[in-house]
Amino acid sequence: MARSPATRLLCICSSQFKLSKVRYFPYSNRFASYCNEFHKYSTQLHQSLTKFYEISSFGLDSRVYSFNNIRSYCTPSEISNSSSGLESRETSVSEHVDDDNQIENQVSVSHVAALDPVELYRRLRDGPVARKLGLEQWEELTEIFRCFVNSGWASNQALAIYISASFFPIAAHSFRNFVFKKCDHDIVSYLLSLGPGTESERFLFPLFVEYCLEEFPDEIKKFRSMISSADLTKPETWFPFARAIKRKIIYHCGPTNSGKTYNALQRFMEAKKGIYCSPLRLLAMEVFDKVNALGVYCSLLTGQEKKYVPFGNHTACTVEMVSTEELYEVAVIDEIQMMSDVYRGYAWTRALLGLQADEIHLCGDPSVLDIVRKICQETGDELIENHYERFKPLVVEAKTLLGDIRNVRSGDCVVAFSRREIFEVKLAIEKHTNHKCCVIYGALPPETRRHQANLFNEQGNEYDILVASDAVGMGLNLNIRRVVFYSLSKYNGDKIVPVPASQVKQIAGRAGRRGSIYPDGLTTTLHLDDLDYLIDCLQKPFDEVKKVGLFPFFEQVELFAGQIADATFSQLLQKFGENCRLDGSYFLCKHDHIKKVANMLEKVQGLSLEDRFNFCFAPVNIRDPKAMYHLLRFAQSYSQNVPVSLAMGMPKCSARNDTELLDLESKHQVLSMYLWLSNHFKEETFPYVKKAEAMATDIAGLLGESLIKANWKPETRHQGKKANDNDDGYQRPRSLVKLQEQKRQEKDIKSVEKVSA
Ligand SMILES: Nc1ncnc2c1ncn2[C@@H]1O[C@H](COP(=O)(O)OP(=O)(O)OP(=O)(O)O)[C@@H](O)[C@H]1O
Ligand SMILES: [Mg+2]
């Protein structure tokens, strides 16, 4: 049978390396040099190989190299274009093979590098135990192997032959002992001439590969099975029913307050059957209310609540709850840029890949436009892009509040990035001005947030200032005239960092919404020092997102669990994270919080793997010991198949201090968790749903009352973490810019001191 030029190229290489499958194809310097040689004859083919190499370096398995993979990257035209050059090259390469064979028996040190690694390995393996090394040589060789055993490069490359990162040091050490035992003269001399470092690593690696293939077949097989069961590549193929539909994707792309959601919702309401996927419960509720008020029967579905509206064909849900089983005419996925969120991104990716809908409307900023284009090519969906401009430009007030919170005005939303700061600001404003403040932050139930938002939106009352966290950034349509950033740095769970530009834009964009009483939006900072950072953020174009989030389904984790004996669920997740394979456009979402819950639930006997998986997704604040305790208790009752009780008293009145307020927040979160569990597990095990709902509503009411009269100094859940207060309970934040400048100056001073020293 006539072979294509590309096949012949590959056969040439394979005969040269005596491999039918190129196990260490990308590592071979010789192969690289051949690629360069071939470049003379076939530029395109070389590009194809380069492209293959680039692509393969994204994923692990694609680095295990059947030549078929390479062939699939060579298009027919590239192959035929390269035909003539390859023929002539084939002869000369074959001659070279003969040369190699001739010189094999008369090896000298300088030829070691040019030898086929397979032959070289065999020589080492089958040869006699050779000379003894002198102390100096022994030390030098020891150092060479120390570098090899610790080489990140070699460890990473070894993954391609299914030597795991944890097994690599053991395998490398064993290989070291093998080479020391044999001490082949030429190989050792050559290694000593190279010395420790990159060159000797590159030389040793192919020998190491051969050694491992012979010595550790079981470990390789085991790791290989494990790897293939942690395969998250080609996620578009996980949804065959969605792939069977020719979907039309409409990307409503633009900045905040440009009418993206509004337009998508118009199509949603016109459809016979529609689903709206929201980033927040609050926004799902808002759409549910709005759409029903316009006469379109719409149900509500969030993790915590199901409100079925009779005869309704429309649903407003949180994105995590969307079904990929049902058929819809129109689906809306709001805030699509959240696909790149490190924790929750997988929910948006799943909705985009898996929704069975004729029309899918994506609303978001331009940051994920390119990656959505790529995904649509892979799924075969049609993509239509609708670009939007902000209704009215956002104006930056250069004057700022000059560091004095008393300069707030009616219609201002002061944004702070911690609960503590929010209460400090509220206290200061109410103490030093005649304004009253509403507050919105993440730990408040959606009902309370909505109540606060309504209080602020309504005219004719004294609550004309809103103090909010970044929880205000998405969704809510508020009557905000001006967004004032109290600071532009926040705690990211690890350290204080500048607020990312995309988030600054999103929050600032809350000012001056179309249809509100302040259609002209303003934004500024409390301190003059922070103004430049604000302007930079607003001017900065959206960063292009390169990867979006994924997380395995339970079935994938279950398959993986089958490969690992005696691992706890948390270890299983850890191993899955370490070993899963992903295509270049995806990352595995962070799941530290899930592992924390998994660890806590480890001591609960009798939970199936699926139960554990589901319990780990329950909405719980892992930093709140009370909430964690209740989750543990719920899981224990569930595992014993006894009705899960609430075991929680109802507070009698609104909070009188911050401790009581924190307690109310915490209690509401526990009830919310109970409701979530009742929707995700057998209902009969959670028989107190009605009671939990009633208590949650009452507590949300008490929280609302508490916030209205809250005039106390804030506390934190964690003792000893308090910031320095000044006398009037209002701590002036240190400007981020100033802090950075100060650091820079300190650095400069240090380097000047160093130089002068
Ligand atoms: N064509 C329109 N007619 C009337 N009101 C509109 C129209 N378009 C948008 N609006 C109103 O303008 C406000 C902002 O619109 P919308 O919420 O769609 O913006 P968005 O681009 O989705 O903003 P964000 O990125 O902040 O979510 C909403 O109150 C919406 O009802
Ligand atoms: Mg929107």
Side-chain angles (χ1 to χ4, degrees), residues 489-512:
S489 49
K490 69 171 182 177
Y491 182 63
N492 70 355
D494 182 27
K495 54 182 186 289
I496 304 282
V497 292
V499 181
S502 58
Q503 208 177 0
V504 172
K505 278 186 209 232
Q506 181 102 21
I507 297 168
R510 298 299 109 195

PDB file of all heavy atoms in Angstrom, residues 489-512:
ATOM      1  N   SER A 489      -8.669  47.926  48.016  1.00  0.00           N
ATOM      2  CA  SER A 489      -7.938  46.689  48.282  1.00  0.00           C
ATOM      3  C   SER A 489      -8.834  45.794  49.122  1.00  0.00           C
ATOM      4  O   SER A 489      -9.709  46.282  49.831  1.00  0.00           O
ATOM      5  CB  SER A 489      -6.638  46.977  49.027  1.00  0.00           C
ATOM      6  OG  SER A 489      -6.899  47.812  50.127  1.00  0.00           O
ATOM      7  N   LYS A 490      -8.603  44.503  49.009  1.00  0.00           N
ATOM      8  CA  LYS A 490      -9.430  43.597  49.807  1.00  0.00           C
ATOM      9  C   LYS A 490      -8.655  42.331  50.176  1.00  0.00           C
ATOM     10  O   LYS A 490      -7.654  42.000  49.541  1.00  0.00           O
ATOM     11  CB  LYS A 490     -10.707  43.246  49.070  1.00  0.00           C
ATOM     12  CG  LYS A 490     -10.557  42.373  47.845  1.00  0.00           C
ATOM     13  CD  LYS A 490     -11.941  41.954  47.376  1.00  0.00           C
ATOM     14  CE  LYS A 490     -11.851  41.031  46.190  1.00  0.00           C
ATOM     15  NZ  LYS A 490     -13.150  40.558  45.749  1.00  0.00           N
ATOM     16  N   TYR A 491      -9.172  41.667  51.169  1.00  0.00           N
ATOM     17  CA  TYR A 491      -8.565  40.433  51.647  1.00  0.00           C
ATOM     18  C   TYR A 491      -9.051  39.290  50.751  1.00  0.00           C
ATOM     19  O   TYR A 491     -10.258  39.124  50.557  1.00  0.00           O
ATOM     20  CB  TYR A 491      -9.010  40.204  53.094  1.00  0.00           C
ATOM     21  CG  TYR A 491      -8.415  38.989  53.749  1.00  0.00           C
ATOM     22  CD1 TYR A 491      -7.036  38.889  53.946  1.00  0.00           C
ATOM     23  CD2 TYR A 491      -9.220  37.946  54.174  1.00  0.00           C
ATOM     24  CE1 TYR A 491      -6.489  37.778  54.554  1.00  0.00           C
ATOM     25  CE2 TYR A 491      -8.670  36.828  54.792  1.00  0.00           C
ATOM     26  CZ  TYR A 491      -7.306  36.750  54.971  1.00  0.00           C
ATOM     27  OH  TYR A 491      -6.763  35.644  55.572  1.00  0.00           O
ATOM     28  N   ASN A 492      -8.112  38.548  50.181  1.00  0.00           N
ATOM     29  CA  ASN A 492      -8.543  37.493  49.251  1.00  0.00           C
ATOM     30  C   ASN A 492      -8.538  36.104  49.894  1.00  0.00           C
ATOM     31  O   ASN A 492      -8.480  35.085  49.213  1.00  0.00           O
ATOM     32  CB  ASN A 492      -7.678  37.497  47.984  1.00  0.00           C
ATOM     33  CG  ASN A 492      -6.263  37.018  48.244  1.00  0.00           C
ATOM     34  OD1 ASN A 492      -5.881  36.762  49.389  1.00  0.00           O
ATOM     35  ND2 ASN A 492      -5.480  36.874  47.188  1.00  0.00           N
ATOM     36  N   GLY A 493      -8.585  36.094  51.214  1.00  0.00           N
ATOM     37  CA  GLY A 493      -8.564  34.815  51.927  1.00  0.00           C
ATOM     38  C   GLY A 493      -7.154  34.454  52.337  1.00  0.00           C
ATOM     39  O   GLY A 493      -6.933  33.549  53.134  1.00  0.00           O
ATOM     40  N   ASP A 494      -6.196  35.195  51.797  1.00  0.00           N
ATOM     41  CA  ASP A 494      -4.798  34.896  52.069  1.00  0.00           C
ATOM     42  C   ASP A 494      -4.060  36.177  52.456  1.00  0.00           C
ATOM     43  O   ASP A 494      -3.388  36.255  53.474  1.00  0.00           O
ATOM     44  CB  ASP A 494      -4.205  34.268  50.800  1.00  0.00           C
ATOM     45  CG  ASP A 494      -2.766  33.864  50.967  1.00  0.00           C
ATOM     46  OD1 ASP A 494      -2.393  33.576  52.113  1.00  0.00           O
ATOM     47  OD2 ASP A 494      -2.010  33.849  49.968  1.00  0.00           O
ATOM     48  N   LYS A 495      -4.233  37.186  51.615  1.00  0.00           N
ATOM     49  CA  LYS A 495      -3.582  38.471  51.899  1.00  0.00           C
ATOM     50  C   LYS A 495      -4.397  39.623  51.309  1.00  0.00           C
ATOM     51  O   LYS A 495      -5.358  39.377  50.570  1.00  0.00           O
ATOM     52  CB  LYS A 495      -2.155  38.477  51.350  1.00  0.00           C
ATOM     53  CG  LYS A 495      -2.050  38.122  49.876  1.00  0.00           C
ATOM     54  CD  LYS A 495      -0.579  38.111  49.499  1.00  0.00           C
ATOM     55  CE  LYS A 495      -0.343  37.920  48.023  1.00  0.00           C
ATOM     56  NZ  LYS A 495      -0.614  36.636  47.449  1.00  0.00           N
ATOM     57  N   ILE A 496      -3.980  40.843  51.634  1.00  0.00           N
ATOM     58  CA  ILE A 496      -4.669  42.021  51.082  1.00  0.00           C
ATOM     59  C   ILE A 496      -4.139  42.269  49.666  1.00  0.00           C
ATOM     60  O   ILE A 496      -2.926  42.357  49.466  1.00  0.00           O
ATOM     61  CB  ILE A 496      -4.390  43.269  51.959  1.00  0.00           C
ATOM     62  CG1 ILE A 496      -4.798  43.020  53.419  1.00  0.00           C
ATOM     63  CG2 ILE A 496      -5.058  44.515  51.389  1.00  0.00           C
ATOM     64  CD1 ILE A 496      -6.261  43.110  53.713  1.00  0.00           C
ATOM     65  N   VAL A 497      -5.043  42.357  48.718  1.00  0.00           N
ATOM     66  CA  VAL A 497      -4.629  42.565  47.320  1.00  0.00           C
ATOM     67  C   VAL A 497      -5.464  43.702  46.720  1.00  0.00           C
ATOM     68  O   VAL A 497      -6.564  43.974  47.186  1.00  0.00           O
ATOM     69  CB  VAL A 497      -4.835  41.285  46.466  1.00  0.00           C
ATOM     70  CG1 VAL A 497      -3.901  40.174  46.875  1.00  0.00           C
ATOM     71  CG2 VAL A 497      -6.292  40.819  46.521  1.00  0.00           C
ATOM     72  N   PRO A 498      -4.948  44.320  45.662  1.00  0.00           N
ATOM     73  CA  PRO A 498      -5.764  45.336  44.988  1.00  0.00           C
ATOM     74  C   PRO A 498      -7.005  44.670  44.386  1.00  0.00           C
ATOM     75  O   PRO A 498      -6.942  43.527  43.935  1.00  0.00           O
ATOM     76  CB  PRO A 498      -4.850  45.841  43.862  1.00  0.00           C
ATOM     77  CG  PRO A 498      -3.481  45.385  44.198  1.00  0.00           C
ATOM     78  CD  PRO A 498      -3.604  44.179  45.064  1.00  0.00           C
ATOM     79  N   VAL A 499      -8.107  45.388  44.395  1.00  0.00           N
ATOM     80  CA  VAL A 499      -9.335  44.838  43.799  1.00  0.00           C
ATOM     81  C   VAL A 499      -9.105  44.764  42.284  1.00  0.00           C
ATOM     82  O   VAL A 499      -8.665  45.739  41.674  1.00  0.00           O
ATOM     83  CB  VAL A 499     -10.536  45.756  44.109  1.00  0.00           C
ATOM     84  CG1 VAL A 499     -11.814  45.189  43.533  1.00  0.00           C
ATOM     85  CG2 VAL A 499     -10.668  45.946  45.609  1.00  0.00           C
ATOM     86  N   PRO A 500      -9.372  43.601  41.662  1.00  0.00           N
ATOM     87  CA  PRO A 500      -9.117  43.486  40.221  1.00  0.00           C
ATOM     88  C   PRO A 500      -9.929  44.504  39.414  1.00  0.00           C
ATOM     89  O   PRO A 500     -11.055  44.844  39.773  1.00  0.00           O
ATOM     90  CB  PRO A 500      -9.581  42.065  39.885  1.00  0.00           C
ATOM     91  CG  PRO A 500      -9.704  41.359  41.175  1.00  0.00           C
ATOM     92  CD  PRO A 500      -9.912  42.372  42.236  1.00  0.00           C
ATOM     93  N   ALA A 501      -9.315  44.953  38.313  1.00  0.00           N
ATOM     94  CA  ALA A 501      -9.926  46.010  37.495  1.00  0.00           C
ATOM     95  C   ALA A 501     -11.332  45.623  37.031  1.00  0.00           C
ATOM     96  O   ALA A 501     -12.239  46.456  37.038  1.00  0.00           O
ATOM     97  CB  ALA A 501      -9.043  46.296  36.294  1.00  0.00           C
ATOM     98  N   SER A 502     -11.516  44.365  36.654  1.00  0.00           N
ATOM     99  CA  SER A 502     -12.834  43.955  36.140  1.00  0.00           C
ATOM    100  C   SER A 502     -13.902  44.143  37.219  1.00  0.00           C
ATOM    101  O   SER A 502     -15.027  44.539  36.931  1.00  0.00           O
ATOM    102  CB  SER A 502     -12.786  42.498  35.680  1.00  0.00           C
ATOM    103  OG  SER A 502     -12.399  41.683  36.750  1.00  0.00           O
ATOM    104  N   GLN A 503     -13.514  43.881  38.458  1.00  0.00           N
ATOM    105  CA  GLN A 503     -14.478  44.021  39.550  1.00  0.00           C
ATOM    106  C   GLN A 503     -14.757  45.502  39.846  1.00  0.00           C
ATOM    107  O   GLN A 503     -15.894  45.870  40.129  1.00  0.00           O
ATOM    108  CB  GLN A 503     -13.936  43.319  40.788  1.00  0.00           C
ATOM    109  CG  GLN A 503     -15.041  42.843  41.671  1.00  0.00           C
ATOM    110  CD  GLN A 503     -14.525  42.077  42.869  1.00  0.00           C
ATOM    111  OE1 GLN A 503     -13.329  41.892  43.052  1.00  0.00           O
ATOM    112  NE2 GLN A 503     -15.440  41.641  43.691  1.00  0.00           N
ATOM    113  N   VAL A 504     -13.703  46.309  39.767  1.00  0.00           N
ATOM    114  CA  VAL A 504     -13.890  47.744  39.985  1.00  0.00           C
ATOM    115  C   VAL A 504     -14.881  48.285  38.956  1.00  0.00           C
ATOM    116  O   VAL A 504     -15.818  49.025  39.279  1.00  0.00           O
ATOM    117  CB  VAL A 504     -12.526  48.488  39.889  1.00  0.00           C
ATOM    118  CG1 VAL A 504     -12.720  49.995  39.921  1.00  0.00           C
ATOM    119  CG2 VAL A 504     -11.609  48.053  41.025  1.00  0.00           C
ATOM    120  N   LYS A 505     -14.704  47.882  37.691  1.00  0.00           N
ATOM    121  CA  LYS A 505     -15.612  48.332  36.624  1.00  0.00           C
ATOM    122  C   LYS A 505     -17.042  47.907  36.912  1.00  0.00           C
ATOM    123  O   LYS A 505     -17.986  48.672  36.752  1.00  0.00           O
ATOM    124  CB  LYS A 505     -15.215  47.653  35.303  1.00  0.00           C
ATOM    125  CG  LYS A 505     -14.089  48.293  34.567  1.00  0.00           C
ATOM    126  CD  LYS A 505     -13.977  47.559  33.240  1.00  0.00           C
ATOM    127  CE  LYS A 505     -12.574  47.580  32.749  1.00  0.00           C
ATOM    128  NZ  LYS A 505     -12.390  48.040  31.432  1.00  0.00           N
ATOM    129  N   GLN A 506     -17.169  46.653  37.296  1.00  0.00           N
ATOM    130  CA  GLN A 506     -18.497  46.081  37.539  1.00  0.00           C
ATOM    131  C   GLN A 506     -19.221  46.848  38.654  1.00  0.00           C
ATOM    132  O   GLN A 506     -20.395  47.180  38.535  1.00  0.00           O
ATOM    133  CB  GLN A 506     -18.310  44.616  37.942  1.00  0.00           C
ATOM    134  CG  GLN A 506     -19.578  43.867  38.217  1.00  0.00           C
ATOM    135  CD  GLN A 506     -19.967  42.968  37.059  1.00  0.00           C
ATOM    136  OE1 GLN A 506     -19.118  42.616  36.254  1.00  0.00           O
ATOM    137  NE2 GLN A 506     -21.218  42.603  36.966  1.00  0.00           N
ATOM    138  N   ILE A 507     -18.463  47.134  39.724  1.00  0.00           N
ATOM    139  CA  ILE A 507     -19.085  47.818  40.867  1.00  0.00           C
ATOM    140  C   ILE A 507     -19.394  49.271  40.508  1.00  0.00           C
ATOM    141  O   ILE A 507     -20.503  49.762  40.749  1.00  0.00           O
ATOM    142  CB  ILE A 507     -18.175  47.730  42.113  1.00  0.00           C
ATOM    143  CG1 ILE A 507     -17.999  46.269  42.529  1.00  0.00           C
ATOM    144  CG2 ILE A 507     -18.752  48.532  43.258  1.00  0.00           C
ATOM    145  CD1 ILE A 507     -16.911  46.043  43.559  1.00  0.00           C
ATOM    146  N   ALA A 508     -18.394  49.939  39.905  1.00  0.00           N
ATOM    147  CA  ALA A 508     -18.601  51.350  39.553  1.00  0.00           C
ATOM    148  C   ALA A 508     -19.792  51.485  38.599  1.00  0.00           C
ATOM    149  O   ALA A 508     -20.522  52.480  38.633  1.00  0.00           O
ATOM    150  CB  ALA A 508     -17.339  51.909  38.908  1.00  0.00           C
ATOM    151  N   GLY A 509     -19.983  50.450  37.778  1.00  0.00           N
ATOM    152  CA  GLY A 509     -21.070  50.462  36.789  1.00  0.00           C
ATOM    153  C   GLY A 509     -22.459  50.428  37.399  1.00  0.00           C
ATOM    154  O   GLY A 509     -23.460  50.531  36.690  1.00  0.00           O
ATOM    155  N   ARG A 510     -22.538  50.276  38.721  1.00  0.00           N
ATOM    156  CA  ARG A 510     -23.864  50.312  39.380  1.00  0.00           C
ATOM    157  C   ARG A 510     -24.421  51.728  39.415  1.00  0.00           C
ATOM    158  O   ARG A 510     -25.593  51.926  39.709  1.00  0.00           O
ATOM    159  CB  ARG A 510     -23.777  49.811  40.835  1.00  0.00           C
ATOM    160  CG  ARG A 510     -23.340  48.401  41.048  1.00  0.00           C
ATOM    161  CD  ARG A 510     -24.258  47.413  40.423  1.00  0.00           C
ATOM    162  NE  ARG A 510     -23.613  46.804  39.272  1.00  0.00           N
ATOM    163  CZ  ARG A 510     -24.233  46.115  38.338  1.00  0.00           C
ATOM    164  NH1 ARG A 510     -25.523  45.939  38.391  1.00  0.00           N
ATOM    165  NH2 ARG A 510     -23.575  45.596  37.328  1.00  0.00           N
ATOM    166  N   ALA A 511     -23.557  52.714  39.196  1.00  0.00           N
ATOM    167  CA  ALA A 511     -24.042  54.106  39.294  1.00  0.00           C
ATOM    168  C   ALA A 511     -24.724  54.516  37.992  1.00  0.00           C
ATOM    169  O   ALA A 511     -24.245  54.187  36.908  1.00  0.00           O
ATOM    170  CB  ALA A 511     -22.861  55.035  39.569  1.00  0.00           C
ATOM    171  N   GLY A 512     -25.816  55.208  38.121  1.00  0.00           N
ATOM    172  CA  GLY A 512     -26.490  55.777  36.956  1.00  0.00           C
ATOM    173  C   GLY A 512     -27.107  54.746  36.044  1.00  0.00           C
ATOM    174  O   GLY A 512     -26.828  54.712  34.856  1.00  0.00           O
TER     175      GLY A 512
END
